[in-house]
mmCIF file of all heavy atoms in Angstrom:
data_model
loop_
_atom_site.group_PDB
_atom_site.id
_atom_site.type_symbol
_atom_site.label_atom_id
_atom_site.label_comp_id
_atom_site.label_asym_id
_atom_site.label_seq_id
_atom_site.Cartn_x
_atom_site.Cartn_y
_atom_site.Cartn_z
ATOM 1 N N SER R 270 32.009 -44.929 -48.897
ATOM 2 C CA SER R 270 32.301 -46.363 -48.984
ATOM 3 C C SER R 270 33.316 -46.653 -50.083
ATOM 4 O O SER R 270 34.257 -47.445 -49.890
ATOM 5 C CB SER R 270 31.004 -47.135 -49.260
ATOM 6 O OG SER R 270 30.077 -46.997 -48.203
ATOM 7 N N LEU R 271 33.141 -46.012 -51.220
ATOM 8 C CA LEU R 271 34.084 -46.215 -52.324
ATOM 9 C C LEU R 271 35.461 -45.647 -51.981
ATOM 10 O O LEU R 271 36.492 -46.237 -52.336
ATOM 11 C CB LEU R 271 33.550 -45.562 -53.600
ATOM 12 C CG LEU R 271 32.362 -46.268 -54.267
ATOM 13 C CD1 LEU R 271 31.849 -45.443 -55.438
ATOM 14 C CD2 LEU R 271 32.756 -47.671 -54.739
ATOM 15 N N LEU R 272 35.480 -44.516 -51.290
ATOM 16 C CA LEU R 272 36.756 -43.934 -50.887
ATOM 17 C C LEU R 272 37.473 -44.859 -49.911
ATOM 18 O O LEU R 272 38.686 -45.085 -50.025
ATOM 19 C CB LEU R 272 36.522 -42.565 -50.243
ATOM 20 C CG LEU R 272 37.775 -41.786 -49.842
ATOM 21 C CD1 LEU R 272 38.617 -41.465 -51.074
ATOM 22 C CD2 LEU R 272 37.387 -40.500 -49.103
ATOM 23 N N GLY R 273 36.711 -45.421 -48.962
ATOM 24 C CA GLY R 273 37.310 -46.379 -48.035
ATOM 25 C C GLY R 273 37.852 -47.590 -48.766
ATOM 26 O O GLY R 273 38.967 -48.065 -48.491
ATOM 27 N N GLY R 274 37.066 -48.109 -49.712
ATOM 28 C CA GLY R 274 37.521 -49.257 -50.496
ATOM 29 C C GLY R 274 38.755 -48.950 -51.322
ATOM 30 O O GLY R 274 39.639 -49.798 -51.485
ATOM 31 N N ARG R 275 38.836 -47.737 -51.828
ATOM 32 C CA ARG R 275 39.993 -47.342 -52.648
ATOM 33 C C ARG R 275 41.289 -47.451 -51.856
ATOM 34 O O ARG R 275 42.336 -47.836 -52.406
ATOM 35 C CB ARG R 275 39.779 -45.920 -53.161
ATOM 36 C CG ARG R 275 40.938 -45.379 -53.994
ATOM 37 C CD ARG R 275 40.670 -43.945 -54.414
ATOM 38 N NE ARG R 275 41.815 -43.377 -55.111
ATOM 39 C CZ ARG R 275 42.038 -43.450 -56.413
ATOM 40 N NH1 ARG R 275 41.181 -44.092 -57.178
ATOM 41 N NH2 ARG R 275 43.103 -42.902 -56.968
ATOM 42 N N TYR R 276 41.238 -47.115 -50.571
ATOM 43 C CA TYR R 276 42.454 -47.124 -49.754
ATOM 44 C C TYR R 276 42.673 -48.449 -49.022
ATOM 45 O O TYR R 276 43.815 -48.791 -48.696
ATOM 46 C CB TYR R 276 42.406 -45.968 -48.751
ATOM 47 C CG TYR R 276 42.616 -44.625 -49.406
ATOM 48 C CD1 TYR R 276 41.536 -43.783 -49.649
ATOM 49 C CD2 TYR R 276 43.877 -44.212 -49.819
ATOM 50 C CE1 TYR R 276 41.717 -42.549 -50.277
ATOM 51 C CE2 TYR R 276 44.068 -42.989 -50.442
ATOM 52 C CZ TYR R 276 42.990 -42.161 -50.666
ATOM 53 O OH TYR R 276 43.169 -40.952 -51.296
ATOM 54 N N ILE R 277 41.606 -49.198 -48.766
ATOM 55 C CA ILE R 277 41.742 -50.434 -48.003
ATOM 56 C C ILE R 277 42.052 -51.634 -48.886
ATOM 57 O O ILE R 277 42.931 -52.459 -48.567
ATOM 58 C CB ILE R 277 40.448 -50.699 -47.194
ATOM 59 C CG1 ILE R 277 40.268 -49.627 -46.129
ATOM 60 C CG2 ILE R 277 40.497 -52.090 -46.541
ATOM 61 C CD1 ILE R 277 38.922 -49.690 -45.426
ATOM 62 N N LEU R 278 41.351 -51.763 -50.001
ATOM 63 C CA LEU R 278 41.456 -52.974 -50.827
ATOM 64 C C LEU R 278 42.867 -53.254 -51.363
ATOM 65 O O LEU R 278 43.279 -54.423 -51.381
ATOM 66 C CB LEU R 278 40.452 -52.897 -51.978
ATOM 67 C CG LEU R 278 38.984 -53.089 -51.570
ATOM 68 C CD1 LEU R 278 38.052 -52.763 -52.727
ATOM 69 C CD2 LEU R 278 38.743 -54.516 -51.089
ATOM 70 N N PRO R 279 43.632 -52.255 -51.814
ATOM 71 C CA PRO R 279 44.983 -52.574 -52.307
ATOM 72 C C PRO R 279 45.853 -53.268 -51.266
ATOM 73 O O PRO R 279 46.697 -54.107 -51.612
ATOM 74 C CB PRO R 279 45.547 -51.196 -52.687
ATOM 75 C CG PRO R 279 44.339 -50.382 -53.029
ATOM 76 C CD PRO R 279 43.292 -50.839 -52.060
ATOM 77 N N GLY R 280 45.644 -52.962 -50.009
ATOM 78 C CA GLY R 280 46.436 -53.601 -48.962
ATOM 79 C C GLY R 280 46.056 -55.057 -48.735
ATOM 80 O O GLY R 280 46.786 -55.795 -48.067
ATOM 81 N N ASN R 281 44.930 -55.490 -49.311
ATOM 82 C CA ASN R 281 44.480 -56.874 -49.179
ATOM 83 C C ASN R 281 44.670 -57.678 -50.462
ATOM 84 O O ASN R 281 44.044 -58.718 -50.647
ATOM 85 C CB ASN R 281 42.999 -56.918 -48.771
ATOM 86 C CG ASN R 281 42.774 -56.488 -47.346
ATOM 87 O OD1 ASN R 281 43.734 -56.278 -46.602
ATOM 88 N ND2 ASN R 281 41.531 -56.351 -46.943
ATOM 89 N N GLY R 282 45.498 -57.175 -51.349
ATOM 90 C CA GLY R 282 45.802 -57.919 -52.566
ATOM 91 C C GLY R 282 45.044 -57.481 -53.800
ATOM 92 O O GLY R 282 45.251 -58.032 -54.889
ATOM 93 N N PHE R 283 44.158 -56.501 -53.681
ATOM 94 C CA PHE R 283 43.402 -56.013 -54.846
ATOM 95 C C PHE R 283 44.246 -54.953 -55.547
ATOM 96 O O PHE R 283 43.982 -53.749 -55.460
ATOM 97 C CB PHE R 283 42.048 -55.446 -54.395
ATOM 98 C CG PHE R 283 41.096 -56.488 -53.881
ATOM 99 C CD1 PHE R 283 41.152 -56.899 -52.555
ATOM 100 C CD2 PHE R 283 40.162 -57.076 -54.727
ATOM 101 C CE1 PHE R 283 40.277 -57.861 -52.074
ATOM 102 C CE2 PHE R 283 39.285 -58.040 -54.258
ATOM 103 C CZ PHE R 283 39.342 -58.444 -52.925
ATOM 104 N N THR R 284 45.260 -55.438 -56.230
ATOM 105 C CA THR R 284 46.248 -54.568 -56.866
ATOM 106 C C THR R 284 46.273 -54.797 -58.372
ATOM 107 O O THR R 284 45.635 -55.717 -58.897
ATOM 108 C CB THR R 284 47.641 -54.850 -56.291
ATOM 109 O OG1 THR R 284 47.990 -56.224 -56.568
ATOM 110 C CG2 THR R 284 47.667 -54.618 -54.780
ATOM 111 N N GLY R 285 47.062 -53.950 -59.043
ATOM 112 C CA GLY R 285 47.199 -54.089 -60.489
ATOM 113 C C GLY R 285 47.768 -55.430 -60.883
ATOM 114 O O GLY R 285 47.439 -55.965 -61.945
ATOM 115 N N ALA R 286 48.617 -56.005 -60.040
ATOM 116 C CA ALA R 286 49.201 -57.311 -60.347
ATOM 117 C C ALA R 286 48.147 -58.405 -60.402
ATOM 118 O O ALA R 286 48.335 -59.423 -61.082
ATOM 119 C CB ALA R 286 50.250 -57.655 -59.279
ATOM 120 N N HIS R 287 47.033 -58.207 -59.727
ATOM 121 C CA HIS R 287 45.939 -59.184 -59.730
ATOM 122 C C HIS R 287 44.778 -58.742 -60.610
ATOM 123 O O HIS R 287 43.678 -59.299 -60.545
ATOM 124 C CB HIS R 287 45.444 -59.423 -58.298
ATOM 125 C CG HIS R 287 46.475 -60.022 -57.406
ATOM 126 N ND1 HIS R 287 46.432 -59.899 -56.025
ATOM 127 C CD2 HIS R 287 47.603 -60.739 -57.681
ATOM 128 C CE1 HIS R 287 47.473 -60.530 -55.487
ATOM 129 N NE2 HIS R 287 48.197 -61.042 -56.481
ATOM 130 N N GLY R 288 45.023 -57.718 -61.402
ATOM 131 C CA GLY R 288 43.995 -57.275 -62.342
ATOM 132 C C GLY R 288 43.046 -56.227 -61.803
ATOM 133 O O GLY R 288 41.994 -55.976 -62.405
ATOM 134 N N TYR R 289 43.385 -55.614 -60.675
ATOM 135 C CA TYR R 289 42.499 -54.610 -60.077
ATOM 136 C C TYR R 289 43.139 -53.234 -60.142
ATOM 137 O O TYR R 289 44.321 -53.064 -59.862
ATOM 138 C CB TYR R 289 42.206 -54.955 -58.612
ATOM 139 C CG TYR R 289 41.366 -56.192 -58.426
ATOM 140 C CD1 TYR R 289 41.965 -57.427 -58.172
ATOM 141 C CD2 TYR R 289 39.982 -56.132 -58.511
ATOM 142 C CE1 TYR R 289 41.197 -58.569 -58.004
ATOM 143 C CE2 TYR R 289 39.202 -57.274 -58.347
ATOM 144 C CZ TYR R 289 39.817 -58.493 -58.091
ATOM 145 O OH TYR R 289 39.055 -59.616 -57.932
ATOM 146 N N THR R 290 42.346 -52.259 -60.503
ATOM 147 C CA THR R 290 42.784 -50.873 -60.453
ATOM 148 C C THR R 290 42.111 -50.189 -59.272
ATOM 149 O O THR R 290 41.050 -50.639 -58.812
ATOM 150 C CB THR R 290 42.405 -50.127 -61.750
ATOM 151 O OG1 THR R 290 40.972 -50.211 -61.938
ATOM 152 C CG2 THR R 290 43.099 -50.754 -62.958
ATOM 153 N N PRO R 291 42.696 -49.114 -58.735
ATOM 154 C CA PRO R 291 42.047 -48.409 -57.619
ATOM 155 C C PRO R 291 40.641 -47.951 -57.998
ATOM 156 O O PRO R 291 40.397 -47.523 -59.136
ATOM 157 C CB PRO R 291 42.980 -47.211 -57.377
ATOM 158 C CG PRO R 291 44.311 -47.667 -57.893
ATOM 159 C CD PRO R 291 44.004 -48.526 -59.083
ATOM 160 N N LEU R 292 39.712 -48.070 -57.063
ATOM 161 C CA LEU R 292 38.332 -47.675 -57.334
ATOM 162 C C LEU R 292 38.269 -46.200 -57.703
ATOM 163 O O LEU R 292 38.827 -45.348 -57.017
ATOM 164 C CB LEU R 292 37.461 -47.936 -56.095
ATOM 165 C CG LEU R 292 37.403 -49.381 -55.599
ATOM 166 C CD1 LEU R 292 36.408 -49.494 -54.448
ATOM 167 C CD2 LEU R 292 37.033 -50.343 -56.716
ATOM 168 N N SER R 293 37.586 -45.922 -58.802
ATOM 169 C CA SER R 293 37.491 -44.549 -59.277
ATOM 170 C C SER R 293 36.186 -44.357 -60.033
ATOM 171 O O SER R 293 35.759 -45.231 -60.794
ATOM 172 C CB SER R 293 38.677 -44.225 -60.201
ATOM 173 O OG SER R 293 38.484 -42.977 -60.835
ATOM 174 N N LEU R 294 35.567 -43.199 -59.831
ATOM 175 C CA LEU R 294 34.330 -42.884 -60.546
ATOM 176 C C LEU R 294 34.596 -42.600 -62.018
ATOM 177 O O LEU R 294 33.646 -42.492 -62.809
ATOM 178 C CB LEU R 294 33.639 -41.685 -59.897
ATOM 179 C CG LEU R 294 33.083 -41.920 -58.478
ATOM 180 C CD1 LEU R 294 32.450 -40.647 -57.941
ATOM 181 C CD2 LEU R 294 32.075 -43.061 -58.468
ATOM 182 N N ALA R 295 35.858 -42.460 -62.396
ATOM 183 C CA ALA R 295 36.189 -42.287 -63.804
ATOM 184 C C ALA R 295 35.993 -43.582 -64.585
ATOM 185 O O ALA R 295 35.908 -43.570 -65.809
ATOM 186 C CB ALA R 295 37.630 -41.801 -63.945
ATOM 187 N N ASP R 296 35.918 -44.696 -63.856
ATOM 188 C CA ASP R 296 35.666 -45.992 -64.473
ATOM 189 C C ASP R 296 34.160 -46.154 -64.658
ATOM 190 O O ASP R 296 33.387 -46.038 -63.695
ATOM 191 C CB ASP R 296 36.215 -47.099 -63.574
ATOM 192 C CG ASP R 296 35.884 -48.488 -64.101
ATOM 193 O OD1 ASP R 296 36.261 -48.792 -65.249
ATOM 194 O OD2 ASP R 296 35.227 -49.256 -63.370
ATOM 195 N N GLY R 297 33.728 -46.427 -65.892
ATOM 196 C CA GLY R 297 32.303 -46.500 -66.214
ATOM 197 C C GLY R 297 31.496 -47.443 -65.329
ATOM 198 O O GLY R 297 30.480 -47.039 -64.747
ATOM 199 N N PRO R 298 31.896 -48.723 -65.200
ATOM 200 C CA PRO R 298 31.134 -49.641 -64.341
ATOM 201 C C PRO R 298 31.080 -49.202 -62.880
ATOM 202 O O PRO R 298 30.056 -49.378 -62.211
ATOM 203 C CB PRO R 298 31.903 -50.961 -64.505
ATOM 204 C CG PRO R 298 32.538 -50.872 -65.856
ATOM 205 C CD PRO R 298 32.926 -49.430 -65.990
ATOM 206 N N THR R 299 32.166 -48.619 -62.382
ATOM 207 C CA THR R 299 32.167 -48.139 -60.994
ATOM 208 C C THR R 299 31.195 -46.984 -60.821
ATOM 209 O O THR R 299 30.447 -46.914 -59.838
ATOM 210 C CB THR R 299 33.579 -47.693 -60.573
ATOM 211 O OG1 THR R 299 34.491 -48.787 -60.736
ATOM 212 C CG2 THR R 299 33.601 -47.239 -59.132
ATOM 213 N N LEU R 300 31.191 -46.066 -61.791
ATOM 214 C CA LEU R 300 30.258 -44.937 -61.741
ATOM 215 C C LEU R 300 28.824 -45.437 -61.793
ATOM 216 O O LEU R 300 27.957 -44.958 -61.045
ATOM 217 C CB LEU R 300 30.529 -43.989 -62.908
ATOM 218 C CG LEU R 300 29.596 -42.776 -63.009
ATOM 219 C CD1 LEU R 300 29.714 -41.904 -61.764
ATOM 220 C CD2 LEU R 300 29.914 -41.964 -64.271
ATOM 221 N N ARG R 301 28.558 -46.413 -62.658
ATOM 222 C CA ARG R 301 27.205 -46.976 -62.753
ATOM 223 C C ARG R 301 26.787 -47.620 -61.436
ATOM 224 O O ARG R 301 25.663 -47.444 -60.960
ATOM 225 C CB ARG R 301 27.146 -47.990 -63.884
ATOM 226 C CG ARG R 301 25.747 -48.575 -64.140
ATOM 227 C CD ARG R 301 25.661 -50.012 -63.669
ATOM 228 N NE ARG R 301 26.585 -50.836 -64.409
ATOM 229 C CZ ARG R 301 27.122 -51.950 -63.918
ATOM 230 N NH1 ARG R 301 26.844 -52.338 -62.682
ATOM 231 N NH2 ARG R 301 27.956 -52.680 -64.637
ATOM 232 N N ALA R 302 27.708 -48.344 -60.805
ATOM 233 C CA ALA R 302 27.402 -48.984 -59.533
ATOM 234 C C ALA R 302 27.138 -47.947 -58.441
ATOM 235 O O ALA R 302 26.246 -48.122 -57.606
ATOM 236 C CB ALA R 302 28.554 -49.895 -59.114
ATOM 237 N N ALA R 303 27.907 -46.863 -58.459
ATOM 238 C CA ALA R 303 27.737 -45.817 -57.444
ATOM 239 C C ALA R 303 26.402 -45.098 -57.619
ATOM 240 O O ALA R 303 25.626 -44.948 -56.662
ATOM 241 C CB ALA R 303 28.895 -44.824 -57.535
ATOM 242 N N VAL R 304 26.141 -44.643 -58.822
ATOM 243 C CA VAL R 304 24.869 -43.945 -59.093
ATOM 244 C C VAL R 304 23.696 -44.884 -58.833
ATOM 245 O O VAL R 304 22.688 -44.511 -58.218
ATOM 246 C CB VAL R 304 24.836 -43.421 -60.540
ATOM 247 C CG1 VAL R 304 23.451 -42.876 -60.886
ATOM 248 C CG2 VAL R 304 25.892 -42.339 -60.735
ATOM 249 N N GLY R 305 23.828 -46.119 -59.302
ATOM 250 C CA GLY R 305 22.758 -47.090 -59.114
ATOM 251 C C GLY R 305 22.499 -47.393 -57.651
ATOM 252 O O GLY R 305 21.348 -47.588 -57.246
ATOM 253 N N SER R 306 23.542 -47.426 -56.832
ATOM 254 C CA SER R 306 23.369 -47.695 -55.399
ATOM 255 C C SER R 306 22.601 -46.572 -54.715
ATOM 256 O O SER R 306 21.765 -46.819 -53.839
ATOM 257 C CB SER R 306 24.732 -47.883 -54.726
ATOM 258 O OG SER R 306 25.368 -49.054 -55.188
ATOM 259 N N VAL R 307 22.886 -45.331 -55.106
ATOM 260 C CA VAL R 307 22.144 -44.198 -54.552
ATOM 261 C C VAL R 307 20.673 -44.280 -54.966
ATOM 262 O O VAL R 307 19.762 -44.110 -54.140
ATOM 263 C CB VAL R 307 22.757 -42.863 -55.006
ATOM 264 C CG1 VAL R 307 21.913 -41.690 -54.499
ATOM 265 C CG2 VAL R 307 24.185 -42.729 -54.498
ATOM 266 N N LEU R 308 20.439 -44.562 -56.242
ATOM 267 C CA LEU R 308 19.056 -44.703 -56.717
ATOM 268 C C LEU R 308 18.356 -45.874 -56.038
ATOM 269 O O LEU R 308 17.159 -45.815 -55.746
ATOM 270 C CB LEU R 308 19.046 -44.890 -58.236
ATOM 271 C CG LEU R 308 19.537 -43.701 -59.061
ATOM 272 C CD1 LEU R 308 19.527 -44.042 -60.549
ATOM 273 C CD2 LEU R 308 18.671 -42.470 -58.795
#
């Protein structure tokens, strides 16, 4: 799901110009959300 979002969201305006970076597990909150979703 995160991989899909990483490639789909930038095409819908979720870009650096709007304050969004590509989804990555290297980002602390994203990693927490991913691990937490599995739990």
Side-chain angles (χ1 to χ4, degrees):
S270 297
L271 288 174
L272 184 63
R275 178 182 175 88
Y276 287 103
I277 294 171
L278 287 170
N281 288 353
F283 291 85
T284 61
H287 297 157
Y289 292 96
T290 58
L292 301 185
S293 171
L294 293 179
D296 175 58
T299 302
L300 178 61
R301 184 253 298 153
V304 172
S306 293
V307 176
L308 295 178

